Amino acid sequence: MPLQRSNTADKFIVDRRKPHRNSDVARAVRKTRDRLSQQAGNPDFDRELLNLHARAMTSGAVAIPLLVLAIAAAGRLAGVGNEIGLWALFTLTCYTIVAFMARRIERTEASELNPLQTRREFLVGHFLCGLGWAWFVLLGCAACEVDQFQVVKAVVMLLAMAGTALMASSLSGTLLVTFAVPVALYAYVGTRLWMPVEAIMAGLLVVSLPFFAYVARQLNRSSLMLLSFRSEKDALIAELETAKSMSDEARRRAEDANLAKSRFLASMSHELRTPLNAILGFSEVMANEVLGPMSNPTYRDYAHDVHDSGQHLLDLINEILDLSRIEAGRYQLNEEPVMLLNIVEDCCHMMELRARNKDIRVIQDFEQTLPRLFADERAVRQIALNLLSNAIKFTATGGEIRVRVGWTAGGGQYISIKDNGPGIPEDEIPIVLSAFGQGSIAIKSAEQGTGLGLPIVQGLLAMHGGEFELHSKLREGTEAIAIFPLSRVMEELPALPTAAVAARRR
């Protein structure tokens, strides 16, 4: 069935028509698939176990050959003869073949391994090593001065079995393939001689072989468990990488959409404001009857409605443009020393008429000894006006608004506007602080806004390095706090001494 492609690029996070944007996602998915196929292969993790076995044989390639060399040297000193040298040469050759085989497999990509063939090659190599140990069992020493030579060979066999069980545990069956023939041969020789010590050592070897096989099997199970955990961990990491790539793709697309929105709003600002200015100007001329009286008073009312609607639309456009410039980082601050008290006081006077129309009392609680702030006066005024406008809008008739300006605990300055309105539910505060977000009370209110006032306040404060806090309880009121940091506070310089003070000092 052919793959169905979507015609809308915005329907999915991953757009199939843009492979250059999907490179991270494709790379993460491909890496995950390769990793899982290379490590798992089948439920027994055969490829990874073969790699572990090859790594173990490579790292421990010196251990058993050193044991063989030590036995050969000791045998020569004890007078075994040249046969032990030939045995050592054959055994070292077998272990060298296994080591080179392990090095080759270790350098081969796991996905290119043939598990059955590689396992068969390893078992054949270990079987050849076992033939070397079988030769060791058959070694005799008539001229040796060593008592209990068969006991010494049994001890050496036990050491070799223990080392092989530890190193070759990743490949199941290695211990039995290597030492089944030597142990059986030793048991046969011991029973033929029928000496008590040799019989005991033969029995010990026969018992030790399944014991070491059990230990190797337990180590193999531990390796399987670790591989399973690592596979799950890698799968989880791959999922996280894929999710991160998808989130990066979504973020890039959101940034592109936001940039397109900002460019659109910037290009449309002139086209929208030009006709609005004409509408506002002509409607004001008509409403005020500048060019002559209107015979029909309804037309005058219509002119007032047109002017009010145009002014509302212009305010909305200005708010959207301000927010888009803040989000795009294009809002330019005209920073200068300003008095926060004077700005907030002017804003209270500007909003006094609206508050008086709703019989709302505005209480001013200002600290009078505040130094100047280094800030943008227009931005500070917009912050205060937006907060006051929201407080008046959602405070019931006969309510009260308390406006405070003062020091913060960290040495900065703050504006606090607290009302006794209906408040905001706690779960709706993030909605209110988002662009175009409105709470349930604002939606039911007769004075619905655009939901841009508080996001603009947050953006302007962030540009000044400040913070915005909104505390509210249902049916108790809301408090909005705009905080300017200590770095914005300008220290007052000491007054210059006057001529009289200077003369007094002299």
Side-chain angles (χ1 to χ4, degrees), residues 97 122 128 163 174 243 320 352:
I97 293 174
F122 265 130
L128 293 177
T174 303
I320 294 176
E352 187 176 359

Side-chain angles (χ1 to χ4, degrees), residues 97-323:
I97 293 174
V98 173
F100 276 110
M101 189 187 308
R103 180 63 61 87
R104 176 178 58 83
I105 293 173
E106 190 177 5
R107 293 178 179 177
T108 305
E109 291 291 335
S111 58
E112 299 176 1
L113 287 178
N114 186 347
L116 295 178
Q117 182 180 355
T118 306
R119 175 183 171 84
R120 191 180 302 114
E121 291 176 357
F122 265 130
L123 292 179
V124 169
H126 286 291
F127 178 75
L128 293 177
C129 296
L131 293 180
W133 290 111
W135 188 357
F136 175 72
V137 171
L138 296 176
L139 286 176
C141 184
C144 291
E145 299 178 357
V146 179
D147 296 333
Q148 305 297 334
F149 184 61
Q150 294 296 328
V151 176
V152 174
K153 289 196 291 185
V155 173
V156 172
M157 291 279 293
L158 286 174
L159 292 176
M161 289 168 59
T164 304
L166 292 176
M167 288 193 304
S169 61
S170 300
L171 185 61
S172 59
T174 303
L175 186 66
L176 294 177
V177 168
T178 306
F179 288 97
V181 174
V183 170
L185 196 58
Y186 188 92
Y188 171 74
V189 173
T191 53
R192 190 186 63 177
L193 295 176
W194 198 247
M195 298 292 293
V197 178
E198 283 78 358
I200 292 173
M201 296 307 296
L204 180 61
L205 284 177
V206 172
V207 174
S208 298
L209 184 59
F211 171 74
F212 284 126
Y214 172 77
V215 172
R217 186 163 57 251
Q218 295 301 317
L219 292 175
N220 185 272
R221 290 180 180 178
S222 300
S223 300
L224 280 174
M225 187 177 299
L226 291 176
L227 290 175
S228 177
F229 289 157
R230 192 172 72 175
S231 177
E232 293 177 2
K233 180 199 69 174
D234 291 341
L236 179 59
I237 292 175
E239 291 179 5
L240 292 177
E241 290 175 353
T242 304
K244 180 179 179 300
S245 300
M246 296 178 68
S247 66
D248 291 341
E249 174 69 14
R251 178 178 55 80
R252 283 194 294 269
R253 296 187 63 196
E255 290 175 352
D256 293 342
N258 190 31
L259 182 61
K261 178 200 70 174
S262 301
R263 290 176 177 173
F264 170 76
L265 291 176
S267 63
M268 291 298 293
S269 61
H270 178 72
E271 285 76 6
L272 291 174
R273 284 175 173 175
T274 300
L276 275 178
N277 289 330
I279 292 172
L280 290 174
F282 293 150
S283 60
E284 188 174 4
V285 169
M286 295 168 63
N288 296 330
E289 299 179 343
V290 176
L291 301 179
M294 288 186 181
S295 58
N296 193 337
T298 305
Y299 289 163
R300 191 184 311 113
D301 295 337
Y302 286 165
H304 281 294
D305 293 339
V306 170
H307 184 272
D308 294 340
S309 300
Q311 187 63 46
H312 175 72
L313 183 57
L314 183 61
D315 294 339
L316 175 60
I317 292 172
N318 289 332
E319 287 182 348
I320 294 176
L321 291 175
D322 287 341
L323 183 60

Side-chain angles (χ1 to χ4, degrees), residues 278-480:
I279 292 172
L280 290 174
F282 293 150
S283 60
E284 188 174 4
V285 169
M286 295 168 63
N288 296 330
E289 299 179 343
V290 176
L291 301 179
M294 288 186 181
S295 58
N296 193 337
T298 305
Y299 289 163
R300 191 184 311 113
D301 295 337
Y302 286 165
H304 281 294
D305 293 339
V306 170
H307 184 272
D308 294 340
S309 300
Q311 187 63 46
H312 175 72
L313 183 57
L314 183 61
D315 294 339
L316 175 60
I317 292 172
N318 289 332
E319 287 182 348
I320 294 176
L321 291 175
D322 287 341
L323 183 60
S324 64
R325 282 198 296 266
I326 292 173
E327 291 179 348
R330 297 182 179 179
Y331 193 97
Q332 299 294 330
L333 292 179
N334 184 20
E335 298 172 324
E336 57 182 352
V338 297
M339 294 296 297
L340 186 62
L341 287 174
N342 298 339
I343 294 176
V344 176
E345 190 174 5
D346 291 343
C347 293
C348 290
H349 289 319
M350 292 174 61
M351 304 299 294
E352 187 176 359
L353 180 60
R354 288 184 57 185
R356 191 179 300 134
N357 291 335
K358 294 185 65 175
D359 195 19
I360 295 175
R361 188 161 61 103
V362 179
I363 302 175
Q364 300 180 10
D365 184 8
F366 301 157
E367 293 188 17
Q368 300 299 324
T369 58
L370 291 178
R372 293 176 297 174
L373 281 177
F374 190 68
D376 186 345
E377 182 177 357
R378 175 177 174 272
V380 175
R381 191 177 299 275
Q382 188 171 3
I383 290 171
L385 287 175
N386 285 359
L387 297 181
L388 278 170
S389 176
N390 280 349
I392 294 173
K393 185 186 302 182
F394 297 107
T395 301
T397 302
E400 177 182 289
I401 297 175
R402 180 176 295 274
V403 182
R404 294 186 298 171
V405 179
W407 291 99
T408 63
Q413 297 182 16
Y414 74 93
I415 306 172
S416 172
I417 299 177
K418 185 177 182 180
D419 60 67
N420 58 356
I424 305 172
E426 185 176 356
D427 57 341
E428 293 184 0
I429 290 181
I431 300 175
V432 172
L433 295 177
S434 62
F436 301 100
Q438 293 182 343
S440 57
I441 297 176
I443 295 175
K444 297 177 183 177
S445 174
E447 295 186 49
Q448 294 187 17
T450 59
L452 296 176
L454 295 183
I456 290 176
V457 169
Q458 288 187 106
L460 293 176
L461 284 172
M463 295 182 68
H464 285 84
E467 299 177 0
F468 179 68
E469 297 179 1
L470 187 64
H471 306 284
S472 182
K473 289 185 178 181
L474 204 59
R475 293 182 293 275
E476 292 186 11
T478 304
E479 181 179 11

Side-chain angles (χ1 to χ4, degrees), residues 60-78:
V62 186
I64 295 183
L66 283 179
L67 178 63
V68 172
L69 290 176
I71 294 170
R76 290 292 297 173
L77 292 176

